[in-house]
Amino acid sequence: MQSKTQFIRDIKDKDPISTSFLVKFSAVATGKNGKPYMNLILMDRSGELEARIWDEVDRYAGQVVRDAFVHVDGRCQVYQGRRQVVINKISILREDEVTLKEYLAEGTLDADALYDQLMGFVDSMKDPYYKALAESVLRDDADIVDRVKRAPAAKTVHHAYKTGLLEHVLSITQILDGLAKHYGKYVDRDLLFLGGFFHDIGKLWELNYDRVTDYTTEGKLIGHLVMGVELVDRKIRELESQPGRLPGVFPEDKKLLVKHVILAHHGILEYGSPKRPKCIEALLVHMVDDMDSKVNAIRCFTEADQTPGRWTALNRQYERFFWKPDWAMGGEAPAT
Ligand SMILES: [Fe+2]
Ligand SMILES: [Fe+2]
């Protein structure tokens, strides 16, 4: 078992590299001279780093694949504003030679504490049907509880780290709680909460997050909106079959509204929602989801940026440069 000594966050231009990484992406490309080279993205818990292998590509192509642990010797250089490792030597490590948690991106928040806060919102619900549904998913299903504490919210872009989904769901629920107070009788607080809890619950199975996060076959073929609706259907059937769990048969309108809030949370048809929001709760869940994912995406991008000075490199998703406030400057002295 070897412990990592060098982490991606600390690697700078011209640094010699001699440490291990998890391979996030691997592809063979052809250079201008017609020679093949390997294009890699390496990761550890502190970030990601591009890398190139220029020599002996045939030897490495079948081995240096996604999810492989590798030991790399090489040097970092900054190319077009981005760090890149030129690899001189690379070898594959066995799983028992590494400590997995050194390689998987971690959130900075404690999963159990986030979960307890979320359950506080579940406990505060009033509607007996909605509350029983929330409890059956988030409290009573041990597999779901285990997944909720681990899952990232996405493969890339926003909350793309361990427990990122729970952080996102709790953040949204806190905002929705404020909106419920603000709009008073015009919104159903419990329905808003179910939207916060369940809008992305299908991601627990849409993504595989044991190693490098990727889509599962079910995720690719069905997707988290429909998977969320399927879960709600199944849990309501289970509740109805358990004597005493509900005051009566789950009301049809309530069932349809929960499903609608999940299906409409991407807002428009082009973003994968089969229905646009058709009640205020669905509209608010969509808008808060959009806001929370964008704030986190920009925060993570800005924090990880290595460009000297007050502006980030170009963000391709948002097609703009972002201003770096003091919290994003690391140890760097503020530029005038
Ligand atoms: Fe979503
Ligand atoms: Fe979301």
Side-chain angles (χ1 to χ4, degrees):
M1 185 81 68
Q2 62 184 80
S3 249
K4 265 177 76 67
T5 48
Q6 232 179 351
F7 282 90
I8 287 173
R9 177 165 294 154
D10 309 320
I11 293 173
K12 304 225 163 18
D13 191 21
K14 300 192 177 59
D15 280 357
I17 311 286
S18 181
T19 191
S20 48
F21 301 100
L22 176 59
V23 177
K24 178 172 185 181
F25 172 85
S26 163
V28 177
T30 308
K32 288 192 186 110
N33 59 4
K35 253 183 80 179
Y37 67 95
M38 281 186 83
N39 207 344
L40 305 176
I41 298 176
L42 305 172
M43 64 183 279
D44 64 26
R45 68 159 191 246
S46 73
E48 295 178 10
L49 193 56
E50 289 180 30
R52 297 279 185 277
I53 300 176
W54 297 108
D55 298 314
E56 296 188 88
V57 168
D58 289 347
R59 183 172 147 206
Y60 296 123
Q63 294 181 48
V64 181
V65 292
R66 194 185 72 195
D67 280 341
F69 292 100
V70 290
H71 188 277
V72 166
D73 288 290
R75 185 170 292 277
C76 176
Q77 52 183 232
V78 172
Y79 178 69
Q80 293 182 339
R82 302 229 297 261
R83 292 176 304 166
Q84 192 179 88
V85 176
V86 176
I87 296 176
N88 301 324
K89 222 171 92 189
I90 187 164
S91 55
I92 305 292
L93 300 172
R94 291 190 318 271
E95 195 154 342
D96 62 352
E97 292 179 293
V98 300
T99 309
L100 189 61
K101 71 177 191 338
E102 292 183 331
Y103 299 85
L104 300 179
E106 293 259 9
T108 50
L109 303 168
D110 174 50
D112 290 322
L114 295 179
Y115 177 76
D116 289 346
Q117 283 188 68
L118 192 70
M119 289 314 291
F121 285 108
V122 173
D123 291 341
S124 77
M125 292 172 78
K126 300 269 187 309
D127 183 282
Y129 296 96
Y130 284 159
K131 188 174 185 178
L133 180 58
E135 287 172 345
S136 73
V137 174
L138 294 173
R139 188 192 66 190
D140 303 341
D141 189 320
D143 177 50
I144 290 180
V145 174
D146 170 64
R147 286 171 181 270
V148 161
K149 290 183 181 181
R150 293 188 292 119
K155 194 175 150 181
T156 53
V157 184
H158 82 98
H159 299 89
Y161 42 80
K162 187 166 176 270
T163 319
L165 182 62
L166 179 53
E167 186 184 325
H168 173 58
V169 163
L170 179 62
S171 172
I172 287 179
T173 306
Q174 288 165 331
I175 297 166
L176 291 172
D177 188 33
L179 290 174
K181 288 189 190 95
H182 183 77
Y183 290 115
K185 70 171 184 180
Y186 299 106
V187 296
D188 180 337
R189 179 176 182 265
D190 291 341
L191 181 58
L192 279 178
F193 279 6
L194 289 188
F197 303 155
F198 293 164
H199 77 285
D200 278 343
I201 195 99
K203 287 186 177 180
L204 298 179
W205 304 273
E206 182 186 45
L207 299 168
N208 180 328
Y209 34 91
D210 291 334
R211 290 264 190 100
V212 176
T213 305
D214 202 1
Y215 288 96
T216 60
T217 300
E218 192 183 4
K220 283 178 181 160
L221 293 177
I222 309 297
H224 70 272
L225 288 80
V226 171
M227 290 160 73
V229 167
E230 287 178 340
L231 177 74
V232 164
D233 246 341
R234 180 159 60 83
K235 288 294 174 186
I236 290 176
R237 272 202 308 277
E238 280 175 21
L239 283 170
E240 285 176 336
S241 71
Q242 294 165 0
R245 284 300 298 270
L246 297 173
V249 176
F250 206 101
E252 189 65 14
D253 282 358
K254 289 187 196 293
K255 197 191 293 187
L256 294 176
L257 285 168
V258 178
K259 291 182 184 181
H260 174 70
V261 172
I262 296 172
L263 289 175
H265 86 268
H266 285 188
I268 54 173
L269 310 182
E270 289 88 328
Y271 290 163
S273 266
K275 289 291 169 191
R276 293 167 302 151
K278 289 175 183 169
C279 60
I280 295 175
E281 290 83 357
L283 185 73
L284 291 176
V285 168
H286 159 61
M287 293 175 98
V288 171
D289 179 40
D290 190 49
M291 178 176 84
D292 192 68
S293 51
K294 282 178 175 156
V295 168
N296 181 268
I298 296 166
R299 190 199 97 193
C300 292
F301 177 79
T302 307
E303 264 173 355
D305 184 82
Q306 298 275 330
T307 316
R310 279 292 186 179
W311 291 96
T312 65
L314 178 69
N315 182 305
R316 288 167 206 280
Q317 193 196 357
Y318 291 99
E319 296 178 330
R320 71 196 78 163
F321 303 91
F322 284 102
W323 168 257
K324 286 200 277 186
D326 288 347
W327 56 258
M329 294 300 286
E332 201 181 322
T336 49

